[in-house]
Amino acid sequence: MMGRAWTIGALCLLTLLLLCACGAQEDSGEPVDTPPASEEAQAPKPLDTAVIQGREGELDFAFSLEDWITAYNLQYREDRGEDFLQPLEGEGWSSLTFPTAPHSQQATVSYEFLADVRMFNLPTMTVYVPQDGACVQEITVNFDDHDYAPVLYEFYQEMCFYTVKTLRPEMEAEQIRAVCQALDDVAYGELRLNKQRYGSEVVPVLLYHKDGIGFYSHFALGDYVRLCVIPVTEETLADYAQQGTQLRELP
């Protein structure tokens, strides 16, 4: 009985001490220091999609390849809970330098991403960067239709979806999928007529555009199905229209 009474008394004393301590903290009026969150932690850096004049005869986006990887993964992670694109130093990326590119007559580095290096028939993503430059010249998502399988085509469609969503995040999912499907339909229809493999002097059949960002597709015999993203200006659009490109402005 004495032991139980002592235990109750000890608990009461402990409670009283805790209450006093809490009261002292509340009455002190001293602010609790909380380390401020960095601006980068509060909100990701928006992708700078401004169109800039690059080398002679070349337009570029203001963002870098690293910026693109971060922005793409942000959109993908919101839906899937994980990143899709590996860091540039990851094994999924490889690069080659070419004397010209589809939209440049200057030396260009082509960075290609493969999600799983053990599966060479997976759709890929290519990012074109001017040699010795930091800005992005063009982005393509590539699908090898010769190894067609429904699961691979769905993989390609999802890569296209997040490519458009990264650049036009204000668009609804249904709008993005409709644009991707329309471009895909054009690509497969173009196959019967197009004998030009993807290279220089590419003229889109159909080009969706908004605020300097252009989306089109390309497919030719012996080549990949591609969703292509390029910087455009009013002058570029007028030139394409004169060459027969159908222009559609995005919502």
Side-chain angles (χ1 to χ4, degrees):
M1 190 73 171
M2 286 287 294
R4 183 180 178 186
W6 183 88
T7 303
I8 294 173
L11 288 173
C12 290
L13 180 60
L14 179 60
T15 302
L16 181 61
L17 290 172
L18 288 173
L19 289 173
C20 290
C22 292
Q25 287 184 355
E26 291 176 357
D27 294 339
S28 65
E30 296 178 359
V32 178
D33 292 331
T34 303
S38 65
E39 291 184 5
E40 185 176 354
Q42 290 176 1
K45 177 184 176 183
L47 193 63
D48 186 357
T49 57
V51 177
I52 59 176
Q53 182 63 55
R55 300 168 297 184
E56 183 179 357
E58 177 185 299
L59 296 176
D60 298 322
F61 289 116
F63 61 82
S64 67
L65 174 51
E66 289 81 359
D67 293 335
W68 171 251
I69 292 172
T70 299
Y72 188 100
N73 283 337
L74 174 64
Q75 295 295 335
Y76 192 87
R77 195 185 311 123
E78 283 184 354
D79 293 342
R80 303 302 184 90
E82 60 182 356
D83 290 347
F84 178 77
L85 296 176
Q86 297 172 13
L88 190 54
E89 61 272 13
E91 66 174 2
W93 289 97
S94 59
S95 64
L96 290 171
T97 301
F98 295 95
T100 62
H103 295 280
S104 175
Q105 295 303 309
Q106 312 287 336
T108 300
V109 182
S110 168
Y111 291 90
E112 186 172 79
F113 177 75
L114 180 65
D116 189 334
V117 295
R118 299 166 298 180
M119 298 180 64
F120 292 102
N121 59 344
L122 282 178
T124 61
M125 178 182 291
T126 304
V127 181
Y128 295 87
V129 177
Q131 187 178 36
D132 302 323
C135 298
V136 168
Q137 195 182 95
E138 179 183 5
I139 300 166
T140 66
V141 183
N142 321 296
F143 172 56
D144 186 358
D145 184 77
H146 305 91
D147 287 330
Y148 183 88
V151 66
L152 294 178
Y153 182 63
E154 290 173 10
F155 193 91
Y156 167 72
Q157 287 181 312
E158 286 304 290
M159 288 179 67
C160 292
F161 174 84
Y162 285 104
T163 297
V164 178
K165 185 177 181 182
T166 300
L167 291 159
R168 306 300 313 175
E170 74 284 355
M171 289 178 63
E172 298 292 338
E174 295 78 8
Q175 294 175 319
I176 295 175
R177 295 196 187 280
V179 167
C180 291
Q181 188 59 60
L183 290 174
D184 222 30
D185 291 343
V186 167
Y188 277 94
E190 180 186 23
L191 176 62
R192 301 183 183 89
L193 306 172
N194 194 2
K195 297 179 181 179
Q196 180 187 16
R197 300 191 69 174
Y198 201 63
S200 59
E201 307 300 329
V202 176
V203 178
V205 175
L206 169 66
L207 186 138
Y208 284 92
H209 65 94
K210 183 81 171 183
D211 298 334
I213 305 169
F215 300 93
Y216 69 96
S217 57
H218 185 275
F219 193 17
L221 287 171
D223 206 352
Y224 291 95
V225 183
R226 285 182 169 87
L227 171 74
C228 311
V229 185
I230 57 171
V232 294
T233 62
E234 290 301 322
E235 184 180 354
T236 308
L237 295 174
D239 183 53
Y240 279 147
Q242 191 172 13
Q243 296 182 72
T245 300
Q246 182 181 356
L247 304 177
R248 294 182 186 172
E249 188 169 359
L250 290 168

